[in-house]
């Protein structure tokens, strides 16, 4: 919702953007629906993954969703998880500049599209029961267990079932069936 | 409808409403679809929903997270069509039946799916026929007289232009291929045109890119047996296709005396869809072909093809062009029957200019019919009719959250000449979760060939004639409503309306009494409330409730003969209640149960009834789903409409199905 003032401003910006190549205009304009769908997916993933008890520091500690680096979502993630519980646990959203084992995240979202940065963060929790989610990474070696991709104008995701299993996170067949592609168990 | 019924009807005394019934039926016995106006699914209220392909009518995160994984994965995140207003912002009474709702309900036909919409009346008449309407004016056995609803499949109109009603037995889309169904109660004439008087039903099929792979469906029960096979493939990354074929077989029902109504039928059918989505464009081709034998001597057939192209310009404006052709026919015992050919072309452009979101467009439709004249005739029996329209609508963002949408459609109609259908809608987004809306609109039910050119004989007596003096039926509708996302788990919608009708169809005597004539000496008002709500009790349990109340107050003009009375104009329950429960039992079992209560129909009288449907689905393996469903479980049989000697009993039924993906 924007007021008329904002609207006029938007028009002026739009006119100016016409001078830019379409690709640049798109890059400058994150799609709110795309972000909302990703936020809804991030909320839903937890229902299709089992965390071992060792993933939590205490029986009553909250389920911790960590967002590392740029957070494109604004408050969408917070809206998605508000008032919700995972297996009786409340959900806490943490925004971190970088992640370590001591952060005890159960789920980790990496907003970066830079494969080097992604690899660095992923390696910090390697071997831990942390469901790692990357976004639009094309380099296989820098993808999380789940990697969002845009296919046919939809938000889809790839799953590395092998990596998840290696770190003690079984993923339900239901989630695998919706994935665009799955790297199967060895 | 059966042959024997035709015969019975023919013997009815001509001055009774049976003449009209017979028209309805005859029509009911015959043909085609399409015609009359409607505006492509595109803009505004309509648009809003439609455009968002996939089940993305939801837009807030709270709404999105209640969708299934599959539905989330099918949401188109940018849409070529500009109409991107989310459902939660639509200033109209819109109920959306999602793909998941359809699949989980186990409904195999469009009318049974439509029972899920709390803002519709659905009456099953016999094995082939249903009467469906919104906000009143549903007339059972006179199915063809339920003539104030517009029904579209992917923007293709499927009601018959001969009399304005819908032959539901001619419409089939495999449930798996339906993306969602938008049910708009209330007028949509400004965008869609002249038959969108009391409501619009928009059936949106899934893109072929969303149904990739093969699917074999086998189902059977005491009332129907189905087999379906389809395959969707990808030719290039942005070019996909689907082909499908089905065979449907329906048992005869029993009449009120317990003997067979002899109305069983079977229908082979096939179709295709092609989607091509190069950058900034979307091209779609689709088509269907079918034929059906309907006992005792009925036969229907049809084929249609359509093409649409949407293009997004660099400046953000959007152009959509669509064309379709449709060719259908029905025949019944005794040689009655008809064929209709329809060609339709529409173009629409949407653009944002400052605070104005403008949609405008034009369309042209041509339909020609051939009527096999028997005792029931159209004079002349062949005609070629043209319809042209222009429309424009502007959604003005007046202040933050307040949008005013004036619109106007001008239509040049074959019988009534130039007609104007204006509307003004106001939407106020009070908070992110609360929308208040209101609207004033004018809609018309245009004269049809039956209104103008019908001639019915009883023996050698010319009993009933259409009239060149017949006027459009007119509605002025006042609506207001609210849509609220009350909590993360619950949302509800409430809509109220006050509809004023003028020039409704009546039957009047001529100077010599016979032939009677169709004229416009009936009017009145209808008001009511529609409510529905959705509550997600837990992540695995969802409840949906619906309720509507309406009051009809129709009056003949003082000089009207009142022949037939109101019984053939409207026979509606003044209230209906529905409840639906959707439970996930683990990750592989779904259990859905729905309850409906339909109030008494006043004339002809049909007692109030309550019924329950339930379905259990089991995803046995990744590829195989098994399901069992029981429908109308509370009683051995019930009636949804009454007509002496011709009432079909709707029995308790069961249905087993298997779906194998490959």
């Amino acid at each position: 919702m924007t007021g008329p003032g904002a609207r006029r401003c938007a028009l002026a910006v739009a006119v100016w953007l016409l001078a830019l190549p379409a690709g640049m205009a798109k890059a400058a304009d994150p799609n709110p629906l795309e972000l909302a769908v990703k936020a809804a997916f991030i909320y839903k993933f937890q229902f299709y993954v089992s965390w071992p008890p060792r993933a939590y520091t205490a029986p009553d500690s909250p389920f911790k969703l960590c967002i590392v680096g740029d957070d494109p979502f604004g408050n969408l993630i917070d809206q998605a998880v508000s008032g919700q519980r995972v297996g009786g646990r409340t959900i806490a959203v943490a925004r971190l500049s970088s992640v370590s084992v001591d952060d005890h995240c159960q789920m980790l979202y990496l907003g970066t599209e830079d494969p080097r940065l992604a690899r660095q963060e992923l390696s910090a929790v390697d071997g831990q029961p942390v469901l790692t989610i990357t976004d639009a990474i094309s380099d296989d070696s820098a993808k999380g267990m789940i990697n969002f991709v845009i296919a046919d104008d939809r938000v889809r995701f790839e799953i590395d079932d092998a990596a998840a299993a290696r770190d003690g996170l079984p993923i339900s067949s239901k989630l695998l069936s919706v994935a665009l592609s799955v790297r199967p168990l060895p | 409808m059966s042959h024997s019924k035709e015969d019975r009807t023919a013997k009815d005394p001509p001055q009774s409403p049976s003449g009209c019934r017979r028209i309805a039926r005859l029509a009911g016995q015959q043909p085609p679809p399409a015609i009359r106006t409607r505006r492509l699914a595109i803009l505004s209220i309509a648009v809003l929903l439609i455009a968002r392909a996939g089940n993305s009518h939801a837009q807030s995160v709270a709404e999105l997270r209640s969708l299934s994984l599959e539905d989330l994965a099918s949401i188109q995140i940018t849409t070529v069509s500009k109409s991107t207003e989310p459902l939660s912002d639509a200033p109209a009474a819109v109920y959306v039946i999602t793909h998941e709702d359809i699949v989980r309900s186990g409904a195999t036909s469009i009318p049974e799916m439509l029972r899920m919409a709390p803002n519709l009346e659905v009456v099953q008449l016999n094995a082939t026929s249903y009467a469906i309407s919104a906000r009143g004016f549903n007339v059972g056995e006179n199915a063809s007289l339920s003539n104030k609803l517009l029904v579209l499949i992917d923007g293709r109109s499927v009601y018959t232009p001969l009399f304005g009603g819908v032959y539901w037995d001619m419409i089939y889309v495999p449930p798996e291929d339906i993306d969602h169904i938008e049910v708009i109660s209330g007028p949509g004439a400004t965008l869609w045109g002249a038959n969108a008087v009391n409501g619009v039903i928009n059936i949106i099929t899934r893109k072929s890119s969303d149904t990739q792979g093969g699917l074999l469906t086998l189902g059977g029960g005491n009332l129907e047996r189905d087999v379906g096979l389809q395959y969707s493939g990808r030719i290039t990354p942005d070019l996909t296709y689907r082909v499908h074929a089905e065979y449907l077989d329906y048992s005869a029902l029993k009449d009120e005396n317990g003997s067979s109504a002899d109305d069983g039928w079977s229908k082979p059918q096939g179709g295709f869809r092609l989607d091509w989505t190069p950058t900034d464009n979307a091209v779609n081709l689709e088509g269907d072909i079918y034929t059906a034998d309907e006992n005792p001597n009925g036969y229907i057939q049809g084929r249609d093809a359509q093409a649409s192209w949407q293009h997004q310009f660099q400046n953000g404006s959007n152009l959509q062009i669509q064309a379709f052709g449709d060719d259908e026919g029905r025949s019944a015992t005794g040689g009655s029957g008809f064929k209709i050919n329809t060609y339709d072309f529409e173009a629409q452009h949407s653009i944002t200019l400052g605070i104005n979101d403008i949609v405008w467009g034009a369309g042209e439709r041509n339909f020609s019919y051939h009527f096999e004249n028997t005792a029931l005739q159209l004079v002349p029996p062949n005609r070629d009719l043209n319809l042209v329209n222009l429309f424009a609508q502007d959604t003005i963002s007046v202040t933050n959250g307040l949008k005013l949408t004036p619109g106007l459609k001008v239509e040049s109609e074959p019988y009534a000449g130039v007609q104007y259908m204006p509307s003004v809608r106001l939407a106020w987004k009070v908070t992110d979760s609360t929308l208040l809306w209101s609207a004033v609109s004018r809609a018309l039910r245009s004269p049809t060939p039956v209104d103008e050119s019908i001639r019915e004989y009883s023996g050698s007596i010319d009993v009933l004639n259409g009239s060149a003096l017949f006027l459009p039926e007119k509605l002025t509708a006042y609506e207001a409503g609210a849509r609220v996302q009350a909590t993360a788990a619950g949302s509800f919608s409430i809509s109220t309306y006050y509809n004023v009708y003028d020039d409704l169809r009546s039957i009047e005597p001529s100077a010599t009494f016979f032939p009677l004539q169709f004229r416009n000496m009936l009017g009145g008002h209808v008001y009511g409330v529609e409510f529905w709500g959705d509550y997600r009790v837990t992540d695995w349990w969802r409840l949906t409730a619906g309720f509507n109340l309406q009051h009809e107050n129709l009056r003949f003009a003082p000089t009207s003969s009142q022949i037939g009375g109101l019984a053939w104009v409207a026979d509606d329950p003044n209230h209906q209640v529905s409840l639906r429960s959707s439970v996930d039992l683990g990750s592989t079992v779904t259990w859905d149960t729905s309850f409906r209560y339909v109030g008494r129909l006043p004339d002809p009288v049909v007692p109030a009834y309550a019924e329950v449907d339930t379905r259990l689905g089991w995803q046995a393996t990744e590829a195989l789903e098994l399901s069992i469903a029981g429908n109308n479980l509370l009683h051995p049989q019930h009636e949804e409409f009454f007509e002496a000697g011709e009432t079909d009993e709707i029995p308790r039924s069961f249905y087993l199905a298997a779906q194998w993906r490959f």
Side-chain angles (χ1 to χ4, degrees), chain B residues 305-308 321-325 344-346:
Chain B
Q306 70 185 89
S308 70
I321 293 174
Q322 169 163 331
F324 72 79
D344 182 283
F345 179 83
E346 334 202 354

Side-chain angles (χ1 to χ4, degrees), chain B residues 95 101 118 532-535 542-546 578-582:
Chain B
Y95 185 83
D101 291 336
W532 55 83
D534 187 291
Y535 183 64
R542 177 177 165 221
L543 289 173
T544 310
S578 62
L579 275 173
R580 201 158 85 236
S581 157
S582 300

Side-chain angles (χ1 to χ4, degrees), chain A:
Chain A
M1 280 295 122
T2 53
R7 207 64 188 251
R8 261 177 244 117
C9 178
L11 179 67
V13 172
V15 170
W16 179 75
L17 285 176
L18 287 181
L20 295 175
M24 289 180 67
K26 276 179 186 163
D29 176 27
N31 177 328
L33 182 59
E34 175 186 332
L35 293 174
V37 171
K38 285 178 178 172
F41 267 129
I42 289 172
Y43 160 73
K44 293 184 84 82
F45 286 153
Q46 52 193 299
F47 297 103
Y48 302 93
V49 178
S50 307
W51 277 266
R54 73 179 168 96
Y56 299 97
T57 51
D60 59 347
S61 56
F63 181 93
K64 196 166 172 190
L65 166 55
C66 301
I67 298 170
V68 172
D70 291 339
D71 176 5
F73 293 108
N75 63 354
L76 288 173
I77 293 278
D78 307 82
Q79 285 178 24
V81 304
S82 78
Q84 304 299 309
R85 285 174 167 262
V86 184
R89 296 170 192 274
T90 56
I91 302 175
V93 179
R95 291 180 173 79
L96 311 169
S97 55
S98 73
V99 69
S100 80
V101 174
D102 298 332
D103 289 312
H104 297 291
C105 306
Q106 279 72 51
M107 202 186 281
L108 172 65
Y109 171 84
L110 301 175
T112 181
E113 288 183 32
D114 180 340
R116 286 167 307 159
L117 278 176
R119 260 194 299 272
Q120 185 181 323
E121 298 296 333
L122 290 172
S123 66
V125 294
D126 195 23
Q128 303 298 314
V130 180
L131 184 75
T132 53
I133 303 169
T134 50
D135 205 339
I137 295 280
S138 52
D139 182 341
D140 274 348
S141 68
K143 287 178 182 174
M145 297 163 187
I146 295 177
N147 182 48
F148 282 122
V149 294
I150 302 300
D152 192 26
D153 208 22
R154 271 94 168 146
V155 176
R156 305 297 299 274
F157 48 86
E158 307 163 325
I159 295 181
D160 187 341
D161 200 19
R166 202 164 52 232
D167 290 350
L169 297 174
I171 294 177
S172 87
S173 59
K174 174 70 179 172
L175 188 59
L176 296 176
S177 73
V178 180
L180 192 62
S181 68
V182 175
R183 187 166 151 238
L185 298 174

Side-chain angles (χ1 to χ4, degrees), chain B residues 494 564 606 630:
Chain B
I494 185 163
V606 178

Side-chain angles (χ1 to χ4, degrees), chain B residues 165-213:
Chain B
V166 177
Y167 291 117
W168 293 99
D169 56 350
M170 300 179 97
I171 299 169
Y172 177 82
V173 181
E176 182 62 29
D177 294 342
I178 299 178
D179 190 278
H180 63 280
I181 302 175
E182 299 154 2
V183 179
I184 299 155
S185 44
T190 304
L191 278 178
W192 281 294
N195 218 52
V197 178
N198 274 23
V200 181
I201 296 174
N202 248 322
I203 299 162
I204 311 294
T205 70
R206 298 174 91 190
K207 293 176 138 191
S208 50
S209 53
D210 294 339
T211 56
Q212 291 288 295

Side-chain angles (χ1 to χ4, degrees), chain B residues 227-287:
Chain B
V227 53
L229 180 64
Q230 70 173 48
Y231 186 79
S232 304
R234 191 177 291 275
I235 299 167
T236 69
D238 58 8
L239 179 63
T240 57
Y241 67 92
R242 174 168 70 231
V243 290
H244 65 95
E246 296 83 31
Y247 185 82
L248 316 170
D249 180 51
Y250 300 88
S251 303
L253 300 182
K254 291 195 164 136
D255 66 20
E256 60 210 283
N257 304 317
S259 42
S260 171
D262 193 21
D263 54 0
W265 60 297
S266 56
K267 185 182 189 192
Q269 155 153 344
F272 74 93
R273 174 170 177 144
L274 193 71
D275 294 284
W276 182 39
T277 52
T279 306
D280 292 336
N281 292 278
V283 176
N284 158 245
L285 292 174
E286 54 188 88

Side-chain angles (χ1 to χ4, degrees), chain B residues 337-582:
Chain B
F338 58 89
K339 288 183 167 41
I340 303 182
N341 298 307
T342 305
Y343 299 96
D344 182 283
F345 179 83
E346 334 202 354
Q348 161 172 316
H349 181 242
S350 54
I351 187 166
T352 299
L353 297 171
I355 60 170
N356 302 286
D357 286 333
I358 297 166
V359 181
W360 63 285
E364 196 272 339
R365 182 175 301 177
N366 174 275
F367 81 95
S368 56
Y369 65 80
H370 169 71
F371 202 86
E372 290 293 339
N373 284 347
T374 55
L376 187 60
Q377 308 184 347
L378 285 181
V379 181
N382 298 292
R383 262 197 94 159
D384 192 50
L385 301 169
N386 252 304
L387 190 82
V388 177
N389 70 66
L390 274 170
F391 74 96
Q393 175 173 288
D394 183 11
T395 299
I396 306 162
S397 298
V398 181
T399 68
N400 199 3
L402 191 65
K403 291 186 179 184
L404 180 69
T405 307
L408 174 67
K409 163 168 275 190
V410 183
E411 193 160 75
S412 168
E413 302 183 346
Y415 296 110
V418 176
Q419 301 289 330
Y420 299 89
M421 287 164 273
S423 69
V424 179
R425 292 183 180 268
L426 187 65
W428 180 30
K429 194 129 191 182
V430 184
T431 68
D432 276 350
S433 58
T434 304
L435 176 87
L436 301 180
W437 62 271
S438 66
V440 179
S441 16
R442 185 167 190 268
L444 301 175
R445 205 276 292 170
S446 318
T448 63
V450 161
D451 298 313
E452 299 273 337
S453 308
I454 196 84
R455 188 166 297 176
E456 184 180 8
Y457 285 89
S458 179
S460 60
I461 304 171
D462 183 358
V463 179
L464 177 67
N465 285 356
S467 167
L469 300 175
F470 189 82
L471 304 169
E473 297 184 328
K474 299 168 186 73
L475 164 65
T476 306
Y478 305 87
E479 299 176 88
R483 199 152 37 238
V484 179
Q485 181 78 38
T487 68
S491 62
F492 67 88
S493 164
I494 185 163
S495 316
T496 61
Y497 58 94
Y498 183 84
N499 285 351
V500 179
Y501 293 90
D502 292 302
D503 295 337
L504 293 174
R505 185 168 63 189
S506 65
I507 299 174
E508 307 298 338
S510 59
T512 53
F513 194 76
F514 284 129
L516 303 170
Q517 289 189 328
F518 280 143
R519 299 301 288 272
N520 304 82
M521 301 183 76
L522 177 66
H525 58 262
V526 180
Y527 55 85
V529 180
E530 296 158 342
F531 167 88
W532 55 83
D534 187 291
Y535 183 64
R536 191 162 280 274
V537 184
T538 69
D539 204 58
W540 48 269
W541 188 20
R542 177 177 165 221
L543 289 173
T544 310
F547 174 66
N548 69 55
L549 261 182
Q550 71 184 358
H551 178 79
E552 285 175 317
N553 185 359
L554 303 176
R555 292 177 310 274
F556 286 100
T559 51
S560 171
S561 68
Q562 307 192 18
I563 290 172
L566 292 173
W568 69 278
V569 177
D571 193 13
D572 302 293
N574 63 12
H575 61 295
Q576 298 189 105
V577 179
S578 62
L579 275 173
R580 201 158 85 236
S581 157
S582 300

